[in-house]
Amino acid sequence: MKRDMKKVVIEGRKKAKITEVQQPQAVGNWALVKIHSAPMCTEYKFYVMGEMPPYPLGHEAAGEVVALDETGPLKVGDRVVVMPQYPCGHCSLCLKGDYIYCEHSHTVTEFTGRPEGDSTFAQYMLKPVWLLPKISKGMSYDHAAMLCCGLGPTFGAMEKMNVGSSDTILITGMGPVGLGGIINAKFRGARIIATAHNDYRLSLANQLGADLAINPKRENALTVIRDFTDGEGVVKSIECSGTTTAQRLCLGATRRNGSVAFVGESDNLGIHVSDDLIRNGLTIIGIWHYNIEGVSKLFTIAEAAKEKIEKLITHAFPLDRVNEAFDLQLTRQCGKVILHPFDD
């Protein structure tokens, strides 16, 4: 029997609506997941433009397995985190756990022959079972969903840079990703410098444990960072804003032989190879997500940081109030915002 489900679509500039579409069905090793928590990321950029993105609307979620087509590692009723993308699962990158960089990704339509099932801004979605790690006992869906963009990108960066208790780390851009970076760095015992252009998020950064929070609109950030680090600069930095000024700050504030990770999506950045890189010996890293083998460690961090995650998640809305959620994101007076597809 065919069933319908609710799904968010963008139909005009600053105008989203709930539509009814056919509920997808489990097929092969793709499970049907009932979405209980769908964190919002940068989809608001398309909300402002008034058009649907060229990829699924929403890519973060946690939920419950409600249907399976094959016997495997999951069973109906399992609570799971929905990892992003639809990688092939067979190439060398996927087999090493670096599935996020797979060059042979599927689409739901290619695999199932049907158009629905790839959006987290919906009541149900499809996902290969190997991309559905089980949620730790006692952890809420909202907290588990932070293993995606809330904590994931900066976790991946810190794993690659081996951030530890002896490090002073700069995190630029206190959107939800940068704020999640404070949680990750604090767990590792690092000293944290955070920058942001609005006081709401600077306040959140302080609440989450930043040792120094700077508003570059009011202070010369590079000078303050140099003073804070006895003139040397930070050992490592993570850029989360996607702005040229913050990118340049990371390059300028990181000491020689240090590391800079770029997490914030952006276009071109002007780098002077000799002066910025060769003379300084900087290691530059691009980070999208993290190796799937890191899931258990990230669950440990999320469990240890319950109180901080409660502060990171500032607002939650039912699906039919998605316009309010988008409008709130545009004010930047929020941390992580979550949609609950089954709340009235």
Side-chain angles (χ1 to χ4, degrees), residues 278-310:
I278 295 175
R279 302 287 182 269
N280 290 325
L282 293 181
T283 297
I284 303 297
I285 302 169
I287 290 290
W288 194 359
H289 203 49
Y290 58 95
N291 188 292
I292 199 167
E293 293 180 4
V295 164
S296 59
K297 185 174 182 178
L298 200 45
F299 268 124
T300 299
I301 294 172
E303 182 66 32
K306 287 180 181 178
E307 293 182 3
K308 288 184 171 61
I309 290 178
E310 281 297 310

Side-chain angles (χ1 to χ4, degrees), residues 33-275:
V33 180
K34 180 179 181 180
I35 302 300
H36 288 280
S37 178
M40 304 177 77
C41 192
T42 56
E43 296 86 4
Y44 64 84
K45 295 179 181 179
F46 293 93
Y47 174 71
V48 170
M49 292 187 292
E51 60 188 49
M52 289 289 286
Y55 40 78
L57 190 62
H59 53 271
E60 307 176 61
E64 172 190 1
V65 175
V66 293
L68 293 162
D69 187 45
E70 295 180 350
T71 301
L74 297 178
K75 65 180 184 299
V76 171
D78 281 342
R79 301 164 65 247
V80 294
V81 177
V82 179
M83 302 297 276
Q85 302 295 325
Y86 288 89
C88 72
H90 306 297
C91 68
S92 61
L93 287 167
C94 287
L95 293 175
K96 292 176 183 176
D98 289 321
Y99 73 92
I100 200 72
Y101 302 111
C102 176
E103 296 181 276
H104 312 286
S105 294
H106 303 295
T107 66
V108 166
T109 301
E110 288 170 347
F111 192 82
T112 69
R114 299 176 181 177
E116 298 299 338
D118 58 2
S119 172
T120 62
F121 287 13
Q123 292 182 312
Y124 297 90
M125 76 176 304
L126 294 173
K127 188 65 65 167
V129 295
W130 66 278
L131 291 174
L132 296 171
K134 294 181 184 179
I135 296 174
S136 305
K137 186 177 180 180
M139 183 174 290
S140 71
Y141 285 116
D142 284 354
H143 282 210
M146 294 301 100
L147 267 71
C148 298
C149 286
L151 298 175
T154 55
F155 171 78
M158 292 181 200
E159 286 286 282
K160 281 209 169 184
M161 292 194 293
N162 195 28
V163 172
S165 58
S166 63
D167 292 327
T168 297
I169 184 168
L170 167 65
I171 305 176
T172 54
M174 289 295 105
V177 171
L179 291 167
I182 295 177
I183 295 175
N184 280 315
K186 203 69 180 177
F187 179 83
R188 295 163 184 264
R191 193 167 66 154
I192 306 155
I193 301 172
T195 68
H197 284 86
N198 83 58
D199 290 333
Y200 181 96
R201 286 178 171 170
L202 276 181
S203 175
L204 268 181
N206 281 319
Q207 293 175 51
L208 292 174
D211 297 280
L212 175 65
I214 304 168
N215 187 332
K217 287 183 176 180
R218 292 198 296 264
E219 302 177 272
N220 184 310
L222 184 58
T223 298
V224 174
I225 292 167
R226 290 284 181 177
D227 289 344
F228 188 75
T229 57
D230 299 323
E232 293 187 345
V234 298
V235 180
K236 295 157 187 176
S237 59
I238 301 179
E239 205 302 290
C240 300
S241 73
T243 65
T244 301
T245 52
Q247 292 165 340
R248 293 299 318 174
L249 176 62
C250 285
L251 291 171
T254 303
R255 68 181 63 175
R256 296 194 170 194
N257 283 331
S259 300
V260 180
F262 290 98
V263 170
E265 299 277 359
S266 67
D267 295 318
N268 296 328
L269 167 65
I271 292 180
H272 193 286
V273 175
S274 293
D275 292 343

